[in-house]
Amino acid sequence: MEKIWLKAYPKGVAKEINESHLKPLPQIFKDSVQEFKNNVAFENFGSSLTYNELDQMSDNFASFLVNYLGLKKNDRIAIQLPNLLQYPVIMIGALKAGLIVVNTNPLYTEKEMSHQFKDAGIKALVIFEPFAHKFNHIKNDLKIESVITTKVGDLLGFPKSLVYNFVLNLKNKKEFKAKGKTPPSNKVKGAFSFHEALNLGQTKKFTPPPIDIEDTAFLQYTGGTTGVAKGAELTHRNIAANMLQILEWKKPLLTKGEEIVLTPLPLYHIFSLTVNCFAFLHFGGKNILITNPKDIPAFIKLMGSKKFTVLTGVNTLFNALMNHKDFAKLNLSALKISVAGGMALQNAVCTRWEKLTGNPIIEGYGLTETSPVACCNPIDGTNKLDHIGVPLPSTECKIIDDNGVEVAMGERGEICIKGPQVMKGYWNRPDETELVLTKDGWLKTGDIAVVDKDGFFKIVDRKKDMILVSGFNVYPNEVEDALANHPGVLEVAAIGVPDDASGEKVKVFIVKRDSNLTADEVKAFAKTCLTGYKTPTLIEFRQELPKTNVGKILRKELREEELKKHARS
């Protein structure tokens, strides 16, 4: 379609990024080190790393990976950590070594870990030690050659490191004992500690391998348009391009080398990885990492002690912050921009946030497959509520019908995206890639949208069955597959239903095999094989489920029933 959105671009924002400036991610980081060497790059629990320190530590970690573990270019390494100072050290070190990083949620169950590690062909794993017992249960079924463990306090300095490690260890033991369970061992036989890795790495010289901008940098796992979790191959070019697009968009409000961004979303999530980590590293900013954003009182206390200029989050986080009694007492005069992504931003949340802070929340839109940002609202005060904004520089969007024909302005259709941030494809799944990527480079998103006369896009429905819980993707097939293993379940269907707190929550409809099956039993079973946000909160038992003539369960009918109930209430 014609680029009608360009007239909505803020003054000073270029229509295109200069793609000749794109470089492999380690080189982009090295450039930032040269310019901002003594600036603080990351802060966590009051401890910090400068750009120089991060550069040296990541070099040492890269040396360890190559010289001691024998890893080679394009080998896959999984990083399973919350927001800690160790994450950027490990991630940047792995990229310097030419490895492909596989970001993994530390709260994943053993089943989820096993699938991802096998699918990606992981050769090395960095795991948060308090959760290492899960790996111990599945390691004999995997071909992972090397494991590095790390604790929460490993880079906090003495004596803080001892205190944090002791307190977390004690807390974990109490949680298991409260459930009547014996605390498991988190020691992994033959594993290296994070400090051992750094110390060994600095004893040998490290020569970086040549890295091409088209090399794969990350496998970010997603369900795409189906429920099978697969790795979106994001190249150095994809991430670097999206980083430049984001910075170009924010240019009118931000000053190089002076910004402080609060990072509550985990860096293993693509939104936080690109927007917070890479974009602000390139811009000379400081990331304040929040390890546990669910602890709202502690988060607000930290907000009160920092003069941060940028906050990124999801709708549920902004809502939770405002609902705490101490939020209104904060002095947020330094805040320049609040950015929401990952899930739909509710009008009530956006309006209330602006009233309390004097700062609007700018909503953006993207997918794992677009590295992730494709559209964003302008930051010059011309943003539109209920809209995902306009395409970023060097990005095109169009809306098509079921036959692939572009629809007229104002008509509904599937939004498609084209630009340098669109993924290479799905890892080892050419058939799945072909379903979403056209030969001329358009990505079919599965989201239904409309575009207005100003070029602003609005998501109105979802073509795919994905459920979005607090910014995290939940795929019905995965939930259904897990619950189908319960001996008391005959049939099961999972859908997302509206929820004021999390945007959507998971509801399952079950036909019983065992008439004595209860909802509590189903929930307890689900918790053994699904991460918390994927676990169904609503369970409805039925005599039968709606099906097509060939026996396929009609989730769409179930969703429509629930939406009607929600509308009546």
Side-chain angles (χ1 to χ4, degrees), residues 75-81 87 91 94 99-105 116-117 119-126 217-221 231 268 427:
D75 282 343
R76 274 77 64 203
I77 181 171
I79 305 177
Q80 195 169 11
L81 298 178
Y87 178 88
M91 183 269 293
L99 306 187
I100 297 174
V101 172
V102 182
N103 280 312
T104 306
N105 187 335
Q116 192 174 107
F117 295 164
D119 188 77
I122 299 299
K123 284 199 173 181
L125 165 68
V126 183
F218 292 91
L219 294 186
Q220 288 288 135
Y221 272 75
Y268 61 74
W427 175 255

Side-chain angles (χ1 to χ4, degrees), residues 41-61:
F42 289 92
E43 181 183 309
N44 182 232
F45 292 121
S47 297
S48 62
L49 289 177
T50 65
Y51 280 77
N52 261 342
E53 289 169 334
L54 179 55
D55 188 36
Q56 186 58 62
M57 283 188 183
S58 57
D59 272 351
N60 292 342
F61 193 76

Side-chain angles (χ1 to χ4, degrees), residues 26 29-30 32-33 36-43 48-62 84-94 96 155 194 198 267 277-278 280-282 285-287 289:
F29 174 64
K30 284 287 188 182
S32 295
V33 173
F36 309 108
K37 52 189 175 184
N38 295 319
N39 287 19
V40 172
F42 289 92
E43 181 183 309
S48 62
L49 289 177
T50 65
Y51 280 77
N52 261 342
E53 289 169 334
L54 179 55
D55 188 36
Q56 186 58 62
M57 283 188 183
S58 57
D59 272 351
N60 292 342
F61 193 76
L84 298 170
L85 291 176
Q86 296 92 295
Y87 178 88
V89 172
I90 292 161
M91 183 269 293
I92 293 171
K96 286 179 175 180
L155 285 180
F194 176 69
L198 290 184
L267 291 173
C277 184
F278 282 111
F280 280 93
L281 270 181
H282 185 53
K286 175 168 79 172
N287 267 274
L289 300 179

Side-chain angles (χ1 to χ4, degrees), residues 484-503:
N485 287 315
H486 190 291
V489 173
L490 178 63
E491 292 180 335
V492 57
I495 66 167
V497 296
D499 181 70
D500 291 339
S502 58

